[in-house]
């Protein structure tokens, strides 16, 4: 039996957080209507980003608004708070968080509390991960991430802007740097991003009289001795061959040393002027976990049982990138489940079901899921796939990649919109317009307003004075 009113707090609105809250909403619909249960989700963004579609969004194959799912529309039975959890006191069943409103309040009144707090009975920790960066000189100044829809669209605009720069200059040094694109990290994100953007840029230069496809220089840097560790070695070699046939310079067992002054320096001695450096070299668990006081593994993930409960801590649950979940599908003690979208969706389902069983005093189940395979896109109509031991390449793998991720994309609304966009993209030419001003929408107005005051400061296009 549930207590008089049970509050379930879900931290994080990503793949695990949204799917967990959605399943809890469905499983506890009667209790929610009766007021016996309240589900609260705290998330930094009011939407969930389906990250496997970011490369296609960056290439313009999918509209950016269709790779995100609005949480308030989907979780209509939950209370959604847009904010960031800053700490958890599980002994008191209390979470601290900040919102934009609390930040403004603290700015107006220094004695005002700098955040909010909320109590809970059960907590689901799914804050996800952040980019794993290294202390590379110049990386913070010039690097571009590839984990959010904003970064994906910003990168698309940036690449197209570099073509405009190269086409409008007679300086060979500026032209060379503008047409050099460096990606660091050759996992799913790095390989799919460089493949999709290379496809897009090669198409775009058809409309530039002074740029030829062979003028573009694409460089993929990987510290290990292979690309795509998620697929078997045979498919990884195929993908490597396909990229190199497209004049992508793939450098294995190579590391980035520095990128100061827009000059990329590698540990093999290469120095390349480049205005584009994309960092896709892995992720690490959210640093927020360190403020929970809950048991962590050496990688900073929450130690979890096979039932997706935090080890030794009642009423606390976790899954996804932030959780070290034992891999019960392999006979190797100590092995944990890989942090990918395939496991995240399935873990969310099991976690929600186990939480409901726990509330009702029923036994919980262990998460055990055999790996179905892997799919990766290598650009338009090209890909690799490994499904239940079968290997596919080329167009068949690309179609399977699209079908698989379309099936995993939440909500029928989003599925229909993405499918419609793919259909239209097959009938019409690519859109290659750069909307760089979207990143600084007030720049033009600020310049105009600044011009009204000759003695005052004049804002620059980036919005700084």
């Amino acid at each position: 039996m549930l207590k008089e009113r049970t509050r379930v707090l879900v931290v994080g609105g990503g793949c695990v957080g949204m799917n967990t809250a959605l399943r809890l909403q469905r499983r506890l619909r009667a209790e929610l209507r009766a007021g016996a249960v309240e589900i609260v989700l705290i998330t930094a963004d009011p939407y969930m980003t389906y990250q496997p579609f970011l490369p296609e969004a960056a290439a313009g194959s999918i509209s950016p608004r269709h790779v995100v799912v609005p949480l308030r529309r989907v979780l209509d039975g939950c209370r959604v708070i847009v904010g960031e959890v800053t700490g958890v006191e599980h002994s008191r069943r209390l979470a601290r968080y900040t919102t934009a409103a609390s930040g403004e309040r603290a700015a107006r009144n220094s004695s005002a509390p700098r955040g909010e707090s909320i109590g809970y009975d059960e907590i689901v920790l799914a804050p996800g991960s952040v980019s794993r960066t290294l202390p590379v000189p110049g990386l913070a100044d010039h690097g571009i991430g590839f984990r959010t829809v904003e970064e994906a669209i910003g990168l698309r605009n940036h690449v197209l802007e570099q073509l405009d720069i190269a086409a409008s200059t007679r300086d060979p040094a500026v032209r060379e740097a503008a047409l050099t694109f460096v990606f660091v990290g050759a996992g799913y994100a790095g390989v799919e991003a460089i493949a999709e953007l290379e496809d897009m840029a090669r198409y775009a230069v058809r409309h530039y009289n002074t740029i030829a496809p062979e003028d573009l220089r694409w460089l993929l840097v990987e510290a290990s001795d292979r690309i795509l560790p998620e697929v078997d070695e045979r498919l990884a070699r195929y993908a490597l061959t396909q990229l190199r046939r497209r004049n992508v310079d793939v450098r294995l067992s190579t590391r980035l040393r520095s990128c100061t002054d827009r000059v990329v320096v590698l540990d093999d001695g290469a120095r390349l002027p480049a205005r584009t450096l994309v960092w896709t070299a892995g992720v690490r668990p959210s640093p927020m976990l360190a403020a929970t006081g809950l048991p962590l593994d050496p990688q900073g993930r929450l130690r979890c049982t096979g039932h997706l409960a935090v080890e030794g801590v009642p009423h606390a649950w976790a899954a996804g990138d932030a959780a070290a979940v034992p891999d019960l599908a392999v006979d190797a003690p100590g092995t944990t489940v890989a942090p990918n979208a395939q496991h995240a969706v399935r873990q969310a389902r099991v976690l929600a079901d186990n939480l409901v069983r726990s509330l009702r005093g029923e036994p919980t189940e262990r998460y055990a899921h055999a790996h179905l395979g892997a799919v990766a896109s290598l650009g338009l109509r090209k890909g690799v796939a490994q499904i239940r031991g079968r290997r596919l390449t080329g167009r068949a793998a690309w179609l399977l990649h699209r079908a698989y991720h379309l099936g995993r994309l939440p909500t029928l609304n989003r599925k229909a919109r993405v499918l419609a966009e793919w259909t239209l993209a097959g009938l019409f030419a690519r859109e290659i317009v750069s909307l760089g001003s979207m990143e600084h929408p007030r720049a033009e107005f600020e310049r105009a307003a600044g011009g009204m005051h000759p003695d005052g400061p004049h804002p620059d296009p980036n919005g700084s004075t």
Side-chain angles (χ1 to χ4, degrees):
M1 293 290 295
L2 300 179
K3 57 182 288 188
E4 185 176 345
R5 184 175 177 84
T6 299
R7 176 179 286 163
V8 179
L9 176 62
V10 181
V11 178
C15 187
V16 172
M18 190 206 74
N19 281 288
T20 299
L22 182 60
R23 191 163 181 86
L24 286 173
Q25 179 178 276
R26 291 170 177 168
R27 292 289 308 274
L28 297 172
R29 191 172 301 278
E31 290 85 349
L32 286 168
R33 288 174 179 170
V37 171
E38 180 186 20
I39 303 171
V40 180
L41 183 141
I42 302 180
T43 174
D45 298 305
Y47 53 81
M48 187 278 281
T49 301
Y50 191 70
Q51 292 185 337
F53 278 159
L54 287 183
E56 291 205 48
S61 299
I62 301 176
S63 172
R65 67 183 183 276
H66 296 157
V67 302
V68 298
V69 180
L71 294 175
R72 286 191 173 90
R73 175 184 294 178
V74 175
L75 303 176
D76 55 350
C78 303
R79 177 184 169 196
V80 177
I81 300 174
V82 177
E84 294 191 24
V85 172
T86 57
V88 173
E89 294 182 57
H90 192 64
S91 59
R92 298 174 58 196
R93 308 280 182 88
L94 192 72
R96 298 184 302 277
Y97 65 96
T98 60
T99 64
S102 64
E104 289 186 10
R105 181 183 62 201
R108 291 195 307 268
N109 183 0
S110 59
S111 62
R114 296 188 174 275
E116 314 284 348
S117 62
I118 185 171
Y120 61 84
D121 298 287
E122 304 281 340
I123 187 169
V124 177
L125 290 157
S129 57
V130 298
S131 294
R132 183 186 63 202
T133 58
L134 298 174
V136 177
L139 180 60
D141 297 321
H142 304 299
I144 302 172
F146 198 74
R147 287 186 50 76
T148 67
V149 68
E150 294 86 357
E151 288 174 330
I153 303 312
L155 179 57
R156 168 185 168 81
N157 291 333
H158 175 82
V159 169
L160 293 174
E161 285 172 356
Q162 301 316 301
L163 301 184
D164 290 333
I165 290 172
S168 60
T169 183
R170 295 182 179 179
D171 187 327
V174 173
R175 178 185 169 90
E176 179 186 5
L179 296 181
T180 300
F181 307 94
V182 181
F183 288 66
V184 180
Y188 272 139
V191 169
E192 292 190 340
I194 197 172
E196 291 282 357
L197 286 164
E198 189 274 337
D199 249 0
M200 179 198 73
R202 183 158 28 87
Y203 178 86
V205 297
R206 299 179 186 180
H207 305 280
Y208 290 80
N209 296 329
T210 59
I211 304 176
E214 54 269 22
D215 295 334
L216 305 178
R217 184 172 188 182
W218 298 86
L219 180 67
L220 180 60
V221 179
E222 170 56 42
S224 68
D225 60 356
R226 58 167 291 185
I227 68 171
L228 290 177
E230 299 88 352
V231 304
D232 72 17
E233 192 169 348
R234 180 175 170 182
L235 287 177
R237 287 198 304 268
Y238 171 86
L240 178 62
T241 300
Q242 293 302 309
L243 289 175
R244 284 175 169 165
R245 284 180 179 174
R246 291 159 60 179
N247 293 322
V248 176
D249 183 359
V250 182
R251 302 199 183 189
L252 304 177
S253 303
T254 305
R255 296 178 182 273
L256 175 68
R257 288 300 184 196
S258 72
C259 54
T260 55
D261 300 324
R262 297 192 181 275
V263 176
V264 171
V265 179
L266 306 179
D267 64 359
D268 62 2
R271 295 176 60 88
L272 304 97
R275 294 177 55 87
T276 305
L277 175 68
V278 184
W279 183 267
T280 61
V283 298
R284 62 185 177 91
S286 170
M288 184 278 294
L289 298 176
T292 64
L294 299 176
L296 306 179
D297 74 348
Q299 286 75 45
R301 300 174 298 174
L302 291 162
R303 294 184 181 274
C304 292
T305 68
H307 299 255
L308 301 174
V310 177
E311 199 172 88
V313 183
H315 311 291
W317 311 79
D321 292 354
V325 179
D327 192 343
L328 304 180
V330 299
D331 187 17
T335 304
T336 56
V337 171
N340 58 39
Q342 183 181 144
H343 284 297
V345 173
R346 289 167 173 78
Q347 285 177 1
R349 185 182 304 120
V350 174
L351 190 158
D353 288 347
N354 279 346
L355 200 159
V356 172
R357 292 188 183 102
S358 177
L359 290 175
R360 293 173 176 169
E362 301 170 357
T364 58
E365 297 181 353
R366 298 192 306 171
Y367 173 76
H369 170 66
H371 185 57
L372 294 178
V375 290
S377 170
L378 299 177
L380 191 62
R381 302 184 185 90
K382 299 173 284 291
V384 293
Q386 178 183 347
I387 303 294
R388 298 187 183 278
R390 295 189 60 189
R391 300 184 184 92
L392 297 172
T393 59
R395 185 186 291 265
W398 174 75
L399 289 171
L400 186 59
H401 170 271
R402 283 195 159 186
Y404 174 82
H405 285 300
L406 185 66
R408 296 297 180 271
L409 184 66
T411 79
L412 180 61
N413 177 294
R414 285 296 179 272
K415 295 179 197 291
R417 290 178 182 274
V418 169
L419 185 59
E421 286 194 311
W422 283 342
T423 302
L424 291 173
L427 299 175
F428 301 100
R430 281 179 182 259
E431 292 289 349
I432 55 168
V433 177
S434 169
L435 298 176
S437 60
M438 291 177 62
E439 298 167 42
H440 307 289
R442 296 187 65 247
E444 182 178 349
F445 178 79
E446 287 178 351
R447 286 196 297 272
M452 296 172 62
H453 304 282
D455 298 327
H458 291 258
D460 67 15
N462 293 323
S464 60
T465 56

